[in-house]
Amino acid sequence: MDEGQKPLRHVAIIMDGNGRWATARGLPRVMGHHAGAQAVRRVVEASCELNLRALTLYAFSWENRDRPADEIQELMHLLEEFIRRETPTMLANGVRLRAIGRLDELPATVVESLQRVIARTAHGERLTLTLALSYGGRQEIVDAARRLAQQVQRGTVRPEQIDEALFAQQLYAPDLPDPDLLIRTSGEQRLSNFLLWQSSYTELYVTPKLWPDFTKADLIEAMAEYDRRERRFGRIAAAHAD
Ligand code: IPE
Ligand code: IPE
Ligand code: MG
C-alpha cells in the first residue's frame, strides 16, 4: 500500500449482516454470528499479511445490549471462544489485542479472559487488534468529559487548557491513530455510534457483502478504493494548490 502521502495504518470495520446471512439460509440468527466469527479470523490473518498496523472491529455495541438475552449470551460465548482459540495465533503473528468500550458491562468471565490475553499479547508489534465491546461513541465522549470534569474538580486541569488534543487523551485508546478507512458491511449507510470522535475525517467504504461473506479479497478491494480517494481534510485539492 501507499506508504507516502496517504498511508493506510488503521482500518476499522462495522461487521454487520450476521443475522441476515443466517435468515437468508433459514438458520437461526446465532448461526450468522458463528459464521461471522470465522470471518473475523480470516480478516485478522489477512490484516497481518497486508501489513496493516491497526484493525478495530465493532463486535458489540452499547445498544446491542438491548438484544434478546440468548443472542447476547451466544455472542459472549463466541467472544470467549475467539479469544481462547486465537491466542496462540495472535502471539505467533505479533498481534496485540486491546478492547475499547464500557467493559465493566460485560460478564465478569469475559472481562477476565480478555484482560488475560490483553496482558499476554501486550508486546505484539505487528498489528494492534482492538475489539469494540459494549462500545458506543457517545458513551466514550461522555466518559471522556466526565474524566476531564474530575480533573478540573481536583485542580489538575484548568478549563481553558481543554482543547482537542487534551480531550482526545481521555478517550479509551488515546494512543491509537484515527482510522484512515472505515468499512461497513451489509450495505447500511450509517455509523451506528461507532468511533464518532475518531472518524471525523475517516474515509467511509460500504459494501453490500454480509459480514460472514467478507474475505481477504474484499479487504484488498476496500484498501484499493481507499488508495483512489483524495483526502483533503477541508483544504483544497493538491492539484490546485500552488
Ligand atoms: C452484526 O450482525 C453483529 C452484531 C451486531 C453483533 P447483526 O446481528 O447486526 O446482523 P443483521 O444486521 O441483523 O443482519
Ligand atoms: C452495529 O450494527 C454494531 C455492530 C456491528 C457491533 P447494528 O446491527 O447493531 O446496527 P444498526 O442497528 O443496524 O444501526
Ligand atoms: Mg445489524
Side-chain angles (χ1 to χ4, degrees), residues 15-88:
M15 310 183 289
D16 198 16
N18 293 354
R20 277 163 283 171
W21 184 92
T23 304
R25 285 162 178 74
L27 299 168
R29 288 177 56 84
V30 293
M31 294 311 290
H33 296 315
H34 279 261
Q38 298 293 342
V40 173
R41 282 189 194 105
R42 261 198 318 268
V43 168
V44 171
E45 202 177 306
S47 300
C48 289
E49 290 163 5
L50 295 165
N51 291 322
L52 282 177
R53 300 309 313 272
L55 176 70
T56 298
L57 300 176
Y58 203 6
F60 189 66
S61 75
W62 181 250
E63 288 77 19
N64 288 154
R65 291 159 49 260
D66 294 329
R67 291 195 179 190
D70 54 348
E71 182 169 341
I72 296 178
Q73 209 178 354
E74 194 57 25
L75 282 167
M76 293 302 137
H77 169 72
L78 280 167
L79 174 62
E80 277 197 282
E81 196 177 79
F82 174 82
I83 297 168
R84 186 165 40 79
R85 276 223 220 145
E86 293 305 299
T87 302

Side-chain angles (χ1 to χ4, degrees), residues 17 43 48 61 68 80 93 112 116 120 127 152 154 156 164 186 189 197 218:
V43 168
C48 289
S61 75
E80 277 197 282
N93 289 344
E112 279 160 26
R116 217 176 15 248
R120 279 189 72 190
L127 174 77
V152 169
R154 281 199 302 269
T156 53
E164 288 91 342
S186 89
Q189 303 189 39
W197 174 280
D218 296 312

Side-chain angles (χ1 to χ4, degrees), residues 60-188:
F60 189 66
S61 75
W62 181 250
E63 288 77 19
N64 288 154
R65 291 159 49 260
D66 294 329
R67 291 195 179 190
D70 54 348
E71 182 169 341
I72 296 178
Q73 209 178 354
E74 194 57 25
L75 282 167
M76 293 302 137
H77 169 72
L78 280 167
L79 174 62
E80 277 197 282
E81 196 177 79
F82 174 82
I83 297 168
R84 186 165 40 79
R85 276 223 220 145
E86 293 305 299
T87 302
T89 317
M90 287 195 269
L91 287 168
N93 289 344
V95 175
R96 175 184 177 199
L97 184 72
R98 304 180 70 172
I100 53 172
R102 287 187 176 166
L103 304 182
D104 49 0
E105 294 284 330
L106 297 169
T109 54
V110 173
V111 179
E112 279 160 26
S113 38
L114 251 179
Q115 302 294 18
R116 217 176 15 248
V117 180
I118 286 171
R120 279 189 72 190
T121 60
H123 300 296
E125 285 193 336
R126 208 159 142 210
L127 174 77
T128 298
L129 170 63
T130 305
L131 300 180
L133 296 164
S134 284
Y135 175 88
R138 285 191 173 181
Q139 285 68 25
E140 179 175 32
I141 291 167
V142 166
D143 289 349
R146 210 177 272 168
R147 283 164 65 170
L148 276 175
Q150 285 162 350
Q151 291 170 30
V152 169
Q153 199 172 39
R154 281 199 302 269
T156 53
V157 167
R158 281 176 287 114
E160 58 274 21
Q161 287 179 301
I162 300 174
D163 57 11
E164 288 91 342
L166 191 65
F167 195 93
Q169 276 174 32
Q170 316 303 318
L171 297 172
Y172 296 142
D175 51 325
L176 210 59
D178 289 344
D180 301 298
L181 173 65
L182 171 58
I183 299 170
R184 182 163 188 153
T185 58
S186 89
E188 306 296 354

